[in-house]
Amino acid sequence: MTTTHTRSAVACAILFAISGQTAMAAEQTEKQTKEKVERIVVSGTPAGVGVRKIDAGYAVTNIDAEQIIKLSPKSTADLFKAVPGVWVESSGGESGANVFVRGFPGGGDAPFLTLSLGGSPIYPAPTLSFLENSSLFRIDETIETMEALRGGPNPVVSNGQPGLTTNFRLKRGHEDTEGMFKYTTSDYDLQRVDAVISGEISDDLYFMVGGYVKSSPGIRDAGFTSEKGNQFTINITKVLEKGEINVYTRQTDDHGAWYLPTPLNVDGIDAKYTQLGTLNRQAIIYTGPNNEAHQVDIGDGRGWKGHVSGGSIKLEFDNGWNFTDRFNITKGDANTYGLVPSGSATTVADVADNGEFATGAATGTVYDADTPIQQLGRWVVLKEISSFTNDLAFSKKFGDLSTAFGYYTANTSANDWWSLGNTAYHVLEAGGEMLDGIACNASVEGCDFNYDINSTGDARTNAFYTTAQFTLNEAFTLDAGIRFENHEVEYSVDEGLDGVINKTVQYDESKTSWTTGINYSINDDMGVFARVNRGYKMPYFDDFRDNFGAYEGGEKLIKEVTQAEFGYKLLTDSTDFYATLFTNEVKGDTFVRRPGVPAEILTNEAYGIELDYNYNHESGFSVNLNSTLQETEITESPSNEGNESQRQPKWQVRVTPSYDFEVSGMYATLYGTISAVDDRFGNNENTVVLEGYEKVDLGLIVEPMEGIKIQLAVDNLTDEQGITEGDPRNADAPNGRYIMPRTTRLSVSYAF
C-alpha cells in the first residue's frame, strides 16, 4: 500500500469516527457500562468475599482484559502505571521494576507492593534485594482482571501489606468452549504466540489453559536473543452444590536483559543504548579470598524460572456460616546477571597504562585516547526462593452485623549467592567490549570493590484477624478490623565467600494492626467514605544484613505506617469516578544505597489526592483519567530532614481517550494515552534533579471479520527521552536510566 493510500485510509477512519456511525459501538459501550456499575470487588475483604464497588469503603481500581489490551504493558509493573497513587519505574526491562505508593519512601524495588493471584500473595516478602513481586509474574491472555487497592483495609487482611496490593484473577471455564490464538511481532523483531482455551470437562467441572512463547533481541537491541521465555497456565474449577473448589498452576521460564543507568553526558548514548552485547556477554568473574574463577553469561539477564500454584475452597453452610480457604505455593529461581555502571564516564587517556590507547579484549581493535569508556561491574545474583501461604476465614451475617474471623500463615525462604563487583573498563558503545592495556582490567581484584555473599533465610508468619461491618441504616455503614501478627526470621550470611558465617539472626517480634472506616451512600450512584489505619512492614532477610546489630532492638527494623483517607465516589451508567484524599506517615524506613553499606533509617510523611475517572458515552467515546498530586517530606533523618522523598514526582497524570466506530463494515477502536510527570529528586539529599517528561502512546484495533482482531500499538510515539532514575549506587555520577524508546507492535488474533 502506498503512503498516499495509507494516509487516505487513516483519514477515512477518522472521518467515520467523527461522523458518528455508532450502532455497534453504542451496543458494546452500553454493555460495558452496565458491567462497570455492578462490578464486584474482592480486594480488601476477608477471604475475598465480594462486595459491590459502590459499597466499598475504600478506593480500588479495576482493570479488565480489554483495558489491558489497550494499555499494551511491556511488563507487569508497566500495568501499574494505570493505578492512581502509584509511581512506576519500569525502564529496567520485564523484571526489576521500582514501584512507589502514595509517597511512601523507598530507594528502589517495590517495598510496599504485594502481588496476589486469586487473592493469595505469590511471595510474602514484597521486596528482597534484586527481587520484587512483579518480577515473578507475567501478564498474558489468561488474565481476566486486576484489582489494585491502596491502603484501605490492607493492613488487616491477607499478608497485612500497608501499601499497594494488586490482585490478579485468572479466566475460568464455562459451559461454552471458548478460545483465542494471537501472534505478535514488532519493529524490534519480537516473535510471540499466545493461546488460551476454556470450557467444560464434565457437569460442573470447568477448565482454562493458556500461555505463550516469545523471543526477541530486546527493545534495546543487544545483538542477540536477549529476551526469551514461555509460560503455561492451567486453571480448574469444580462447582459444588454450595460452594466451589479451584486449583491452578502457572509455570514460567522467562528472562530478559537487565537495562541499567547509562551516561547522560556522552554523545550517542541514548534510550536505545544498552551496555550488553555479543562482545561482552561472556565473562569471567573472581570470587572469595582465593579469587576463584567462574565463567558466566551476562546475557541471561533477569528473570523467573519457577511456578506459582495454588487454589481455594469456598463453602456455604445451612446455618449461615461461610468458609473460605486460599493457598499458594511459589518455588523457583529468580537470578540476575548485569553490567552495572560504576562511576562516571571517562576516556582512554585518563586510565590507559600508556595514556594514549587501549586494545579491545575481544576484537583487538585499537581505541585512541579520546574514546569514551566506563567501568562496568559484572554482577551475578543467584536467588532460589520458595514460599507457602494459607489464608482461611469463617464469616457470617447476624442481622445488621457482618463478621469474619481468619487465620493467615506464611513460610518464606531465600537462598542467595552474590558476586557484586568484578568491574572493568568497557568501550562506551552498544555492547562495547572490555579493554586491554588498563592495569586494573587485567587484575583479578578488578577496578573497584567486590561484595560477595552466600546466605540462607527462612521466615514464618502467623496472623489472626477479625473484621466487622455494622449497617446503621440504608445509608451508613461502619467497619473495623484488627490483626495480630507474629513474625520470626532465621538468617545467616557468609560475607566474602570464605566459608565463615559472620552474621546470624534469630528474630521474633509481634505487632497488632488495625483499620476502621465509615461509608455513606448519598444515593444509589454516589457516596463518600473515610478511613484510618495502622499497619506494619515486618523485616525480611536483607533488612538484617544491611542493619546487622540494630535488629536486637526489635522495633528498629519494623516499618510503622499510619494512614488516613477521605474519598468521594460516583458510579453511573456512563461514569466511574473516585477522588481520594490521603495522608500517611512511615516510621523506621531503611534506605540502602548499595548492598553491603549500612542503611539510613528515616521517617517520611506524605499527603495528596488521587483522581480515578472513567467516562463511557453511547456514541462510542470513552476516556480514562488517573492523576496524583502529592507532597512528601523526610521528617526524621541523620542528614536529610526537611527534604522531599527521593524519586517521586509531585504530580503525574495519564489520560487515555478511546473511540469505537465502524468503517467499511468493520468494527474499530482508535485509542491513545498521554502521560506527563513532574520533576523528581534522584536522591534523599535533593541534589540531583530528574526532569519531568511527557509521553504519547497510540493504538488502533480493527475487526475485519467475526473473530479476527488486528491491533497496531505505538509506544512513545514522539520518542521522548525521559529519565526514570539517576544512578542509585552513586547519586552524583551523571548516569540515568531512560524510559523505553519508540516501539511499534502488531498483533493478529482469532477468537472462537
Side-chain angles (χ1 to χ4, degrees), residues 494-606:
D494 165 12
E495 287 183 309
L497 299 182
D498 56 5
V500 177
I501 297 175
N502 63 320
K503 292 180 178 178
T504 61
V505 173
Q506 289 185 311
Y507 181 84
D508 187 342
E509 288 289 334
S510 299
K511 280 293 182 181
T512 301
S513 303
W514 54 267
T515 182
T516 184
I518 185 170
N519 186 67
Y520 175 64
S521 297
I522 299 173
N523 55 44
D524 290 342
D525 300 327
M526 189 185 310
V528 293
F529 62 88
R531 180 170 301 277
V532 293
N533 66 48
R534 176 169 293 168
Y536 300 89
K537 182 180 182 296
M538 306 298 272
Y540 279 89
F541 317 121
D542 302 310
D543 298 301
F544 297 102
R545 186 192 62 247
D546 296 321
N547 299 275
F548 190 73
Y551 85 90
E552 294 177 359
E555 297 287 329
K556 291 184 179 180
L557 298 184
I558 299 176
K559 299 173 178 62
E560 180 183 282
V561 181
T562 304
Q563 302 180 77
E565 56 186 353
F566 176 80
Y568 168 82
K569 52 190 175 180
L570 173 67
L571 278 80
T572 69
D573 288 345
S574 61
T575 302
D576 181 346
F577 176 62
Y578 271 77
T580 308
L581 295 165
F582 66 86
T583 181
N584 58 62
E585 180 186 61
V586 181
K587 293 182 178 180
D589 185 69
T590 55
F591 165 60
V592 179
R593 189 174 301 281
R594 63 191 298 174
V597 176
E600 174 188 356
I601 299 178
L602 51 85
T603 295
N604 189 90
E605 294 182 3

Side-chain angles (χ1 to χ4, degrees), residues 54-55 123 141 247 273 279 289 475 555 559 635 657 694:
I54 188 64
D55 297 329
Y123 193 63
E141 298 296 331
V247 292
Y273 165 84
L279 298 180
E555 297 287 329
K559 299 173 178 62
T635 57
E694 298 79 36

